Amino acid sequence: MKILFLGYWSANEGLSVSTIYPHLQVLAAFPFVDRIFYCSIERESTLPAFSIQLPKVSHIPLHSPPQQNVILNKVNDFILFPKKLNTIIAQEHIDLLICRGAPAGILGHLVHLYTKIPYWVESFEPHAAYMLESGVWPKWDLRYLIEHFGESAQLRTATAIMPVAEGYRSVLISKAVPEEKLMTLPCTVDVDYFGFRETTRRQVRAALGLADQAVCGIYVGKFGGLYYDEEAFEIFRLSRQLIPNFHLIILSPQPAEEIRKKLMDVGFQENEFFVDGKPHHEIPLYLHAADFAYALYRPSPSKKYLSPIKIGEYWAAGLPVMLSEGVGDETEIIAAGKGGVLFTMKSVQTALKEMRKVVEAVSKSDYKELAIKYRGRRHIAQVYEKAFALTAAKPSSDIYLQTK
């Protein structure tokens, strides 16, 4: 069998490294999979070198020439890329298309209409709703309309749909999407790679100048859009105020100087924080130095259908999470007394006081067990096995999928 795996990000982006590469590795381990062609979308003028080395996997970058207008860029994607994908499918005799995320799934739908190839959409979330509710896209923005109608189309034509949250699977079933094609697959993590190491903790804390009694919070990711921005820095201010010997680590791709200025504007001294942008493979070092982590999502109704990979990474590293209430299946897990503390902007002070108790009371190994149970890599192979069986039972008119 030959598989084309389509991502919607650059091959070297953190999301690709953390969520696509592991899936390619699992696919390559199936004995009936002969070759995998991984297509990334590259928007910079120079194409990156592909760093992953896996048997059976070949990288085919799809270059998206930058347009003056982001809407024109989106339209160009959906005109140009289906033609390129159709050509690859014909030349390489592809049997199955796997799309990572609903934006990539729109391309999968368009390709399916032309080739009749079966396709899956994993990490299927209500992306259009996220962007609308977060104020990133207005309701009549062409990007919103394309995504909204594209998600509906995928639910009709994809062979397998893999939402990341069980709550969203239930919603889709209530909307008459066939239950057998819906397979929940959360964003998984390499628990051993992120697993807590005391030696690393001591080394990194020493390098950062942290005293033994310092309580360190860590935030990994961006500010704004789906996440809190100014509110996040108010939460950091209250953390400094309420937690003795507090120190903050921020690892973000956004400009470090801007983040440092915002921290100092809310009262931080230069020796009370560390801000930098680190590649994904270095993040565990800093997680080990921390005592708890922040997951600061801007609340909206559709956030309950998220599966933030960073929560799995935090748990694997032995960290309780301060999580915005209403995010993913994790809200129910934490509400049941496991994994951290929930908060709203009205309850930040109460949540921080509770976090102080949690940090002192719970063993790091307990959080690792949560990561294994809810975010372990075994979930990928288990769901793929079901999807392969379903796809083999429903061959397209042009291409018959065989699991030798």
Side-chain angles (χ1 to χ4, degrees):
M1 178 197 299
K2 294 182 179 180
I3 296 173
L4 194 158
F5 194 108
L6 176 62
Y8 205 70
W9 316 294
S10 170
N12 287 335
E13 274 196 38
L15 277 173
S16 298
V17 174
S18 61
T19 69
I20 290 180
Y21 291 11
H23 288 229
L24 296 175
Q25 189 170 15
V26 171
L27 285 168
F30 282 95
F32 52 79
V33 173
D34 300 310
R35 291 194 69 185
I36 303 167
F37 297 88
Y38 165 44
C39 289
S40 61
I41 294 180
E42 308 298 339
R43 302 191 184 278
E44 300 299 327
S45 55
T46 57
L47 299 179
F50 186 48
S51 58
I52 191 172
Q53 298 294 324
L54 283 177
K56 304 181 183 179
V57 178
S58 300
H59 180 218
I60 303 177
L62 302 178
H63 190 226
S64 176
Q67 306 290 326
Q68 292 182 343
N69 184 292
V70 291
I71 295 178
L72 289 177
N73 211 62
K74 177 75 73 172
V75 171
N76 187 64
D77 287 354
F78 293 118
I79 294 174
L80 178 66
F81 290 151
K83 295 178 180 178
K84 291 185 176 181
L85 292 169
N86 291 342
T87 300
I88 296 169
I89 287 168
Q91 290 178 343
E92 302 295 343
H93 305 288
I94 301 296
D95 300 296
L96 173 67
L97 172 62
I98 302 177
C99 305
R100 179 72 189 182
I106 298 176
L107 295 172
H109 168 71
L110 295 173
V111 168
H112 170 80
L113 293 181
Y114 181 79
T115 65
K116 305 304 179 189
I117 190 171
Y119 76 104
W120 307 346
V121 185
E122 56 177 48
S123 191
F124 186 84
E125 302 171 313
H127 185 74
Y130 294 162
M131 303 302 274
L132 177 66
E133 294 167 359
S134 299
V136 179
W137 293 345
K139 192 169 186 178
W140 298 112
D141 190 303
L142 185 59
R143 292 168 296 176
Y144 170 77
L145 295 173
I146 290 173
E147 186 64 36
H148 175 72
F149 289 107
E151 289 171 16
S152 298
Q154 293 166 62
L155 292 174
R156 295 193 308 271
T157 63
T159 301
I161 295 285
M162 303 171 188
V164 296
E166 189 62 29
Y168 195 39
R169 180 177 183 271
S170 299
V171 168
L172 294 176
I173 291 172
S174 72
K175 293 182 177 180
V177 178
E179 186 171 351
E180 67 272 12
K181 75 189 290 181
L182 296 169
M183 308 169 192
T184 303
L185 178 55
C187 294
T188 67
V189 299
D190 185 334
V191 176
D192 291 332
Y193 184 74
F194 278 85
F196 175 73
R197 295 172 179 81
E198 180 63 40
T199 301
T200 303
R201 175 181 172 85
R202 289 197 298 267
Q203 291 173 344
V204 177
R205 287 175 71 96
L208 295 176
L210 298 184
D212 290 343
Q213 67 271 26
V215 178
C216 183
I218 187 167
Y219 180 85
V220 180
K222 298 179 180 180
F223 298 96
L226 301 180
Y227 310 96
Y228 279 132
D229 192 349
E230 298 305 322
E231 301 93 337
F233 291 88
E234 173 62 13
I235 292 169
F236 299 150
R237 183 189 71 80
L238 289 170
S239 300
R240 178 178 180 271
Q241 175 182 313
L242 296 172
I243 299 176
N245 303 306
F246 180 71
H247 193 93
L248 178 64
I249 296 173
I250 296 178
L251 305 180
S252 176
Q254 292 169 301
E257 283 306 316
E258 293 180 10
I259 295 172
R260 294 187 186 105
K261 182 179 184 305
K262 288 183 177 182
L263 289 172
M264 297 184 75
D265 285 346
V266 296
F268 278 81
Q269 304 298 312
E270 288 188 8
N271 63 347
E272 294 177 325
F273 61 82
F274 173 81
V275 178
D276 204 348
K278 294 292 182 181
H280 187 260
H281 69 271
E282 291 186 24
I283 287 175
L285 303 177
Y286 294 90
L287 296 184
H288 298 166
D291 298 290
F292 71 96
Y294 300 94
L296 308 180
Y297 289 84
R298 193 178 299 279
S300 67
S302 63
K303 293 295 194 310
K304 68 183 72 171
Y305 309 132
L306 280 171
S307 175
I309 192 166
K310 64 182 65 177
I311 295 180
E313 293 172 346
Y314 294 157
W315 283 346
L319 297 179
V321 182
M322 183 170 170
L323 174 66
S324 307
E325 187 173 334
V327 174
D329 295 338
E330 287 74 17
T331 286
E332 293 185 9
I333 296 169
I334 293 176
K338 300 177 180 180
V341 175
L342 299 173
F343 80 96
T344 67
M345 285 307 298
K346 293 181 179 180
S347 68
V348 172
Q349 295 192 38
T350 301
L352 286 168
K353 292 174 182 177
E354 181 63 24
M355 181 59 80
R356 287 182 59 185
K357 299 176 183 176
V358 170
V359 167
E360 296 171 358
V362 183
S363 166
K364 288 184 177 294
S365 62
D366 293 337
Y367 298 110
K368 183 177 180 179
E369 290 304 313
L370 285 177
I372 293 171
K373 180 177 181 179
Y374 295 107
R375 298 301 191 88
R377 293 289 198 222
R378 74 182 190 283
H379 292 290
I380 305 172
Q382 290 172 350
V383 171
Y384 278 177
E385 286 173 355
K386 294 178 183 178
F388 277 128
L390 177 65
T391 309
K394 294 184 177 182
S396 74
S397 58
D398 294 345
I399 299 172
Y400 188 81
L401 180 70
Q402 295 181 333
T403 54
K404 305 171 190 174

